Amino acid sequence: MANVIIYPTNSLILSDLVKRFGHTPLAMMEKIKEKISTVGVDSPPLNITAEEPKLGLKYAAVEVPAGVRGRMSMIGPMVERSEAGIIVGESPMAFGCMGCARTNELTKYLIRTRDMPVLELAFPKTDEEGQEFVYRIAEFLRSLPQQEEGKE
Amino acid sequence: MKDEAVAKVALVSCGSEYAGVHGELESVASSVNAKLVYPEIEVDILDDIGKDFGIEAASPDLRLMMARATAVVEGITDVDGVFITSCFRCAEAAIVRNEVRSYINKHSTLPVISYSFTERTTAATLLTRMEALTTIARRRHLLAREKQSGLTAGIDSGSTTTKAVIMKDNQILGSGWVPTIKVIDSATEALNSALEEAGLKKEDIQAMGTTGYGRFLVGEHFNANLIQEEITVNSKGAVYLADKQQGSATVIDIGGMDNKAISVEDGIPGMFTMGGICAGASGRFLDMTAKRLGVDITELGDLAVKGMEQNVSMNSYCIVFGIQSLVNSLAKGSTPEDVAAAACHSVVEQIFEQQLQEVDVKEPLILVGGSSLIEGVPKALGELLKIDVLVPPNSHLIGAVGSALLASGFLEE
């Protein structure tokens, strides 16, 4: 199985699809859960403190606003762990959205430039396109290694 | 400089023409006998460059910037160096600028500088950077020199101190280190002190190199063979003294007035930044801290390694606020050790936050400049970056040694 980063990074549909094909989705929901359930951090609602934008400096320079760097402190390490990626472009907000265009641009760039298989496709607008959409994602996920290395 | 060929520098920007700084950019290029050129592209490329390069930037001029970067890398435009620039405070441009810089550095051997401008940016601000860029392009053969030969002198006329060395056949025979007061007087004093230690006379010197803020004045006064900015000289001096002339290295020079972070490959700088938003990130802040604590600057390092920076809240983002937090901490009963440690941490933290994103930090990390002798500084930097920091012997003489080393190249020419 492979660690698959998804974009939009909080898409429940993509995350579910990845799981159904036996892979591990790398999604924001997991990170946010980690953040809000960590005891002893006092920066509600997400418990992102002034430290996170500093960690985000690994991915974006100091001139880039703190909100982008704070988001990147969570997304960046996920990209680094990923072995494959799925990017869905032009999707409606309900499908998933980070709420920040700059973060979106940088996230997609980091996924695209990583040396790994990446599937890029546009959000479907018709039923036929919807079927093709799911079919292409399924094919892509099937093409990824199913077993962890050394466990065959 | 004028007898050398004009260096072609690709201007990869998102519209400096609109920002009121273009005249300054042209002026600084002309002062180092360089010409700014716009890499040519096919206009159709702009439709897909977002996807092809990877960043779907909303601003079309940023797409143009990416397209121009690919034209440089693919050799469609033949240039000697690249100047990447965009407006200060534009988040999208900062993202694109950073990735374009990494892209060019990864896919070509061209020297690259990146700078974010305001309408107040002047040619003088950019001079050292542009001089370094064109030097790397023009003088690769000189920068490839790994050994000093003959009898040469190097003078580093810095903003705070002036350093001089006398070298012969790859050995330092004598050195001088004095505070900079009057540029020429201080350089003369440092040189005389180095000559005295070496047991030589000024007439014995076969070639001389000068660097630092006062390089032009001192160089003209002593009729130096080489007058060179400190980015190329210091990176050369650093890898020479650290004996890391081959392969990758990162050089950090914490100076009296500004800092340099330089990514070096086989002794030749690739990417570099010069800066420090405020003197709070420079040796000056450490100097003021030592004075406030009533110790000599040479004793500050010993104090710092005994202290815990976590016990004092200090942010030297601005030197005035930095000194205020220092005074407040002492008033609250903090120990001088903790305050010294916090001052060292604050300086390196600012270098980390402001500058190290602009270069790829590759080991070994060589720390040079007078501040490297303050033991707390390499310790704090090592803790922050979680890597071993190498402080070579004579790290405070880096510019003078680099100048003497490079000047020896003129003996053979």
Side-chain angles (χ1 to χ4, degrees):
Chain A
M1 65 190 226
N3 291 328
V4 183
I5 181 133
I6 55 170
Y7 178 88
T9 49
N10 57 355
S11 167
L12 290 168
I13 293 175
L14 280 182
S15 171
D16 181 60
L17 268 170
V18 171
K19 240 185 234 169
R20 281 176 194 234
F21 283 86
H23 300 293
T24 309
L26 300 177
M28 273 302 267
M29 292 76 85
E30 177 200 343
K31 285 278 172 189
I32 298 293
K33 185 183 170 194
E34 219 177 272
K35 283 278 166 201
I36 59 176
S37 56
T38 303
V39 180
V41 183
D42 53 358
S43 180
L46 295 180
N47 284 334
I48 289 178
T49 67
E51 279 308 299
E52 269 80 7
K54 280 190 194 173
L55 297 173
L57 283 168
K58 187 171 176 191
Y59 310 99
V62 73
E63 268 181 65
V64 177
V68 179
R69 286 187 279 118
R71 286 172 171 93
M72 288 314 298
S73 71
M74 292 187 281
I75 299 170
M78 287 200 299
V79 178
E80 284 178 6
R81 273 176 58 211
S82 64
E83 294 157 317
I86 301 174
I87 296 175
V88 176
E90 299 153 34
S91 59
M93 275 180 68
F95 183 70
C97 176
M98 276 309 294
C100 170
R102 301 293 89 85
T103 308
N104 290 346
E105 284 166 6
L106 186 55
T107 301
K108 282 193 276 183
Y109 176 75
L110 292 178
I111 298 173
R112 283 170 179 150
T113 49
R114 196 168 159 79
D115 187 18
M116 65 181 185
V118 176
L119 173 70
E120 251 191 89
L121 62 180
F123 189 80
K125 292 187 177 71
T126 63
D127 284 355
E128 288 76 28
E129 282 180 12
Q131 284 172 20
E132 176 69 12
F133 178 80
V134 176
Y135 175 76
R136 284 184 63 195
I137 292 175
E139 280 299 292
F140 176 74
L141 291 169
R142 277 197 200 101
S143 73
L144 300 175
Q146 292 296 321
Q147 297 286 328
E148 278 181 50
E149 270 183 40
K151 288 192 177 174
E152 280 181 292
Chain B
M1 178 97 35
K2 293 287 177 193
D3 55 343
E4 290 177 298
V6 174
K8 282 201 285 181
V9 176
L11 180 64
V12 176
S13 89
C14 56
S16 48
E17 304 85 350
Y18 294 96
V21 292
H22 205 72
E24 298 296 316
L25 301 186
E26 292 284 0
S27 157
V28 70
S30 147
S31 70
V32 293
N33 199 22
K35 186 176 173 6
L36 296 175
V37 297
Y38 293 92
E40 284 184 24
I41 57 143
E42 296 285 341
V43 76
D44 299 348
I45 293 174
L46 293 176
D47 293 335
D48 299 318
I49 192 70
K51 281 242 166 85
D52 291 346
F53 188 87
I55 306 176
E56 290 161 281
S59 310
D61 273 350
L62 286 175
R63 296 183 185 211
L64 180 63
M65 196 167 164
M66 292 184 267
R68 283 182 169 153
T70 55
V72 166
V73 164
E74 288 166 11
I76 297 167
T77 302
D78 181 30
V79 291
D80 303 305
V82 187
F83 181 43
I84 306 169
T85 191
S86 64
C87 298
F88 180 60
R89 288 201 196 123
C90 173
E92 189 172 48
I95 290 170
V96 175
R97 202 181 68 237
N98 206 37
E99 301 306 340
V100 160
R101 179 183 51 73
S102 299
Y103 166 80
I104 296 174
N105 194 251
K106 190 174 167 190
H107 298 287
S108 80
T109 54
L110 292 168
V112 181
I113 47 173
S114 133
Y115 191 81
S116 56
F117 56 78
T118 69
E119 67 275 28
R120 290 175 188 268
T121 297
T122 63
T125 318
L126 298 169
L127 178 62
T128 300
R129 295 168 176 87
M130 196 62 93
E131 198 186 337
L133 188 78
T134 50
T135 299
I136 298 161
R138 287 194 182 103
R139 295 185 169 172
R140 277 190 182 262
H141 66 289
L142 188 67
L143 296 176
R145 164 165 291 272
E146 294 191 356
K147 279 191 176 169
Q148 185 273 345
S149 57
L151 202 157
T152 61
I155 301 177
D156 176 2
S157 174
S159 61
T160 311
T161 56
T162 300
K163 289 77 68 177
V165 295
I166 303 294
M167 291 183 78
K168 189 183 178 193
D169 300 334
N170 223 22
Q171 300 287 327
I172 300 172
L173 299 184
S175 64
W177 187 20
V178 300
T180 304
I181 302 164
K182 282 185 179 171
V183 171
I184 292 175
D185 292 354
S186 300
T188 308
E189 195 186 337
L191 180 66
N192 288 343
S193 161
L195 282 166
E196 194 181 328
E197 193 183 322
L200 294 163
K201 284 186 259 163
K202 202 174 127 203
E203 297 72 50
D204 299 327
I205 299 168
Q206 294 173 293
M208 182 188 277
T210 61
T211 190
Y213 280 91
R215 62 186 177 277
F216 294 111
L217 204 57
V218 175
E220 275 163 31
H221 178 78
F222 288 107
N223 198 20
N225 307 68
L226 175 82
I227 300 173
Q228 194 65 60
E229 41 58 48
E230 51 271 34
I231 290 168
T232 47
V233 171
N234 288 11
S235 49
K236 196 65 209 169
V239 294
Y240 170 78
L241 285 176
D243 198 17
K244 301 282 180 195
Q245 303 215 47
Q246 290 300 313
S248 308
T250 308
V251 176
I252 296 182
D253 177 7
I254 305 180
M257 205 159 84
D258 62 30
N259 308 309
K260 293 121 203 147
I262 313 159
S263 170
V264 184
E265 196 66 41
D266 293 339
I268 297 175
M271 290 189 283
F272 53 85
T273 65
M274 239 182 112
I277 293 291
C278 170
S282 71
R284 183 85 62 185
F285 180 64
L286 297 171
D287 201 25
M288 289 179 74
T289 303
K291 281 192 183 121
R292 185 62 187 78
L293 292 176
V295 296
D296 189 76
I297 184 76
T298 55
E299 297 166 44
L300 188 70
D302 276 349
L303 267 187
V305 290
K306 290 178 198 147
M308 299 277 286
E309 57 91 8
Q310 295 90 337
N311 292 344
V312 175
S313 166
M314 189 181 291
N315 184 348
S316 71
Y317 194 82
C318 160
I319 197 163
V320 177
F321 294 144
I323 295 296
Q324 270 179 4
S325 25
L326 188 151
V327 171
N328 287 340
S329 309
L330 289 171
K332 282 182 194 161
S334 295
T335 65
E337 286 84 356
D338 287 349
V339 169
C344 292
H345 179 82
S346 179
V347 167
V348 300
E349 189 179 43
Q350 202 180 133
I351 292 168
F352 169 71
E353 289 181 14
Q354 303 287 336
Q355 286 188 272
L356 288 184
Q357 283 70 50
E358 298 278 324
V359 298
D360 291 334
V361 177
K362 289 181 186 164
E363 290 187 75
L365 180 74
I366 308 169
L367 181 65
V368 294
S371 303
S372 64
L373 298 179
I374 299 168
E375 226 178 310
V377 174
K379 181 174 176 272
L381 189 61
E383 283 168 0
L384 200 68
L385 295 176
K386 299 190 172 47
I387 56 176
D388 289 334
V389 175
L390 183 60
V391 179
N394 296 310
S395 60
H396 59 301
L397 300 174
I398 210 82
V401 170
S403 299
L405 169 69
L406 294 176
S408 70
F410 286 81
L411 296 178
E412 290 159 23
E413 280 186 358

